[in-house]
Amino acid sequence: MSIARAALRACARLFPRMGSFNSAPKILNEDSQDNDLLLPERMTKEDLLAYCSKQLQGSGASLIPRTFRTLSVLNSSPKINKSHEIVPINDKAGIRVLQWNLLSQTLGLNNDNFVRCPSEALHWQRRRNLLTQEIVRFSPDVICLQEVDHFNYLKKSLGTQGYVGVFFPKPDSPCMYIKDNNGPDGCAIFFRSNRFELIRCETRVLEVWRVQSNQVAVLAILRDLHTGNELCVATTHLKARNGALLAALRNEQGKDLLDFVTTHCGDRPVIVCGDFNAEPIEPVYSTVTSHPALRLASAYANYQAGEPPYTTWKVRDEGEICHTIDYIFYSANNFRVSSLLDFPSGDEIGECRVPSYSYPSDHFSLVCDLLPIVNNSLQSTL
């Protein structure tokens, strides 16, 4: 038996649930900090962005610019042409997917120790407008989010654009032990209601050696209203922190996630997004991309020469942290990637990194356009 496996089994014996291991009493607050938000049921994209900008007036806030890369396959090598505009998908059958760890407001303000981030940049009344702008400006069809602790705000703001969402909290969210929390954090999926219909939603507390952890997954079966084809979308947020034991734990969570997806996806194409807290060299990455039934590929794997150099870049007490841990995985038999959202350069981000006045999270959003592969003998529903 490997040392890592023995250690994990020891953890399972000692702790009936691998939660936050916090002995402090929980503070059971409700998601109510956005009751002040008054928005009409429907707004144009331009009106919502203008509303958010107006709320930010005088704050010095302006989002870091982002650009798309369009990809064309030539002899299996991607040819990348940079576009300086946030372009819509030309193919109506395409699906634009956004993946983002939003940064929990409670944790970002109280626990994460962003030593170079001005405290004013973390105020929720300003952060929430930047979060909305970052999502809405890309007009995604499907949105996968982690560290969501203001789901009601997202329902209201994204609802003006016709998005519908589902949310599943962590069973022992660390937010619940912090004064003035807004409820537990968790994972959420939103989708355009004029594009997709929710067939059903499934949730799971991920297990490690048959012991429930504190990480969750949420899965949505969506039906395309235009074609009738169905799609399986799942998102998760795996255990954080470094070390061989934690890498082994994440790999077990990844296996449980894939079992969960396989149980519910049937023969539908699959999109799995999340903050995996694992660099591409970790076992969980190859576990996901080598699954024999799902046959998943990473949308950003050919970003330049492999995965991008970072999806998070922050400065904490222990120093500067810059690495790739967020991914969009998709059914390689059913889709091809037609464009990707670029990551800002170090100069564009600024020496204080993120979060900042110009960016509301310590993770950058990932956005890709997926086009269905037609005339594929292995293809089932698309």
Side-chain angles (χ1 to χ4, degrees), residues 299-314:
Y300 276 80
N302 290 314
Y303 176 73
Q304 289 174 328
E307 295 287 352
Y310 49 82
T311 61
T312 178
W313 197 347
K314 52 204 161 197

Side-chain angles (χ1 to χ4, degrees), residues 192-208:
R192 286 191 179 279
S193 59
N194 63 354
R195 174 70 189 276
F196 293 107
E197 173 190 8
L198 179 64
I199 302 303
R200 71 174 190 274
C201 174
E202 304 288 345
T203 59
R204 182 167 179 80
V205 178
L206 297 178
E207 295 185 357
V208 178

Side-chain angles (χ1 to χ4, degrees), residues 32-321:
S32 61
Q33 292 179 4
D34 300 290
N35 290 346
D36 64 313
L37 185 68
L38 298 176
L39 292 174
E41 289 188 5
R42 287 290 184 269
M43 300 174 71
T44 66
K45 173 181 173 179
E46 293 73 22
D47 284 346
L48 179 59
L49 293 175
Y51 169 85
C52 292
S53 295
K54 184 177 180 180
Q55 303 305 305
L56 292 164
Q57 282 182 358
S59 68
S62 179
L63 273 174
I64 296 172
R66 309 284 298 274
T67 58
F68 270 100
R69 290 170 176 254
T70 57
L71 283 72
S72 61
V73 178
L74 180 61
N75 297 326
S76 75
S77 298
K79 180 181 179 182
I80 301 176
N81 300 305
K82 196 165 184 177
S83 169
H84 293 279
E85 297 180 355
I86 307 303
V87 295
I89 305 178
N90 292 326
D91 192 323
K92 291 183 178 180
I95 301 172
R96 178 164 291 176
V97 182
L98 182 146
Q99 148 61 30
W100 199 14
N101 179 325
L102 296 182
L103 174 61
S104 156
Q105 177 63 18
T106 300
L107 300 180
L109 193 61
N110 297 281
N111 275 27
D112 284 328
N113 299 315
F114 299 120
V115 293
R116 291 190 187 174
C117 178
S119 59
E120 295 85 358
L122 292 174
H123 287 175
W124 177 243
Q125 297 301 316
R126 66 172 308 282
R127 264 195 78 221
R128 66 185 186 181
N129 293 288
L130 288 175
L131 291 169
T132 298
Q133 286 181 326
E134 176 72 355
I135 295 172
V136 171
R137 66 174 172 168
F138 303 127
S139 300
D141 298 301
V142 174
I143 304 167
C144 293
L145 305 172
Q146 302 81 46
E147 289 200 30
V148 174
D149 62 358
H150 282 72
F151 181 66
N152 282 340
Y153 171 76
L154 295 169
K155 281 202 305 182
K156 290 179 181 179
S157 61
L158 298 181
T160 67
Q161 306 300 296
Y163 290 102
V164 174
V166 293
F167 171 69
F168 188 51
K170 294 177 182 176
D172 194 28
S173 167
C175 296
M176 302 301 292
Y177 300 94
I178 298 173
K179 183 181 178 182
D180 299 325
N181 70 71
N182 193 54
D185 78 302
C187 296
I189 296 174
F190 284 85
F191 57 91
R192 286 191 179 279
S193 59
N194 63 354
R195 174 70 189 276
F196 293 107
E197 173 190 8
L198 179 64
I199 302 303
R200 71 174 190 274
C201 174
E202 304 288 345
T203 59
R204 182 167 179 80
V205 178
L206 297 178
E207 295 185 357
V208 178
W209 303 117
R210 299 182 181 179
V211 177
Q212 283 192 332
S213 67
N214 194 35
Q215 280 63 53
V216 300
V218 57
L219 178 151
I221 302 297
L222 305 177
R223 176 183 293 139
D224 191 315
L225 295 174
H226 303 307
T227 66
N229 296 329
E230 294 185 5
L231 172 70
C232 175
V233 179
T235 191
T236 193
H237 185 186
L238 301 188
K239 182 66 177 175
R241 302 198 183 281
N242 298 325
L245 175 59
L246 274 302
L249 188 150
R250 277 188 288 272
N251 194 37
E252 295 305 314
Q253 290 181 331
K255 292 176 182 177
D256 194 50
L257 169 69
L258 297 175
D259 288 345
F260 170 60
V261 172
T262 304
T263 298
H264 295 289
C265 70
D267 60 356
R268 302 173 182 89
V270 170
I271 297 171
V272 178
C273 301
D275 175 358
F276 283 72
N277 272 307
E279 296 186 56
I281 59 173
E282 275 203 24
V284 68
Y285 182 90
S286 60
T287 293
V288 172
T289 55
S290 63
H291 192 278
L294 296 177
R295 304 192 70 173
L296 299 173
S298 170
Y300 276 80
N302 290 314
Y303 176 73
Q304 289 174 328
E307 295 287 352
Y310 49 82
T311 61
T312 178
W313 197 347
K314 52 204 161 197
V315 183
R316 286 177 167 158
D317 283 334
E318 63 267 31
E320 197 156 352
I321 302 167

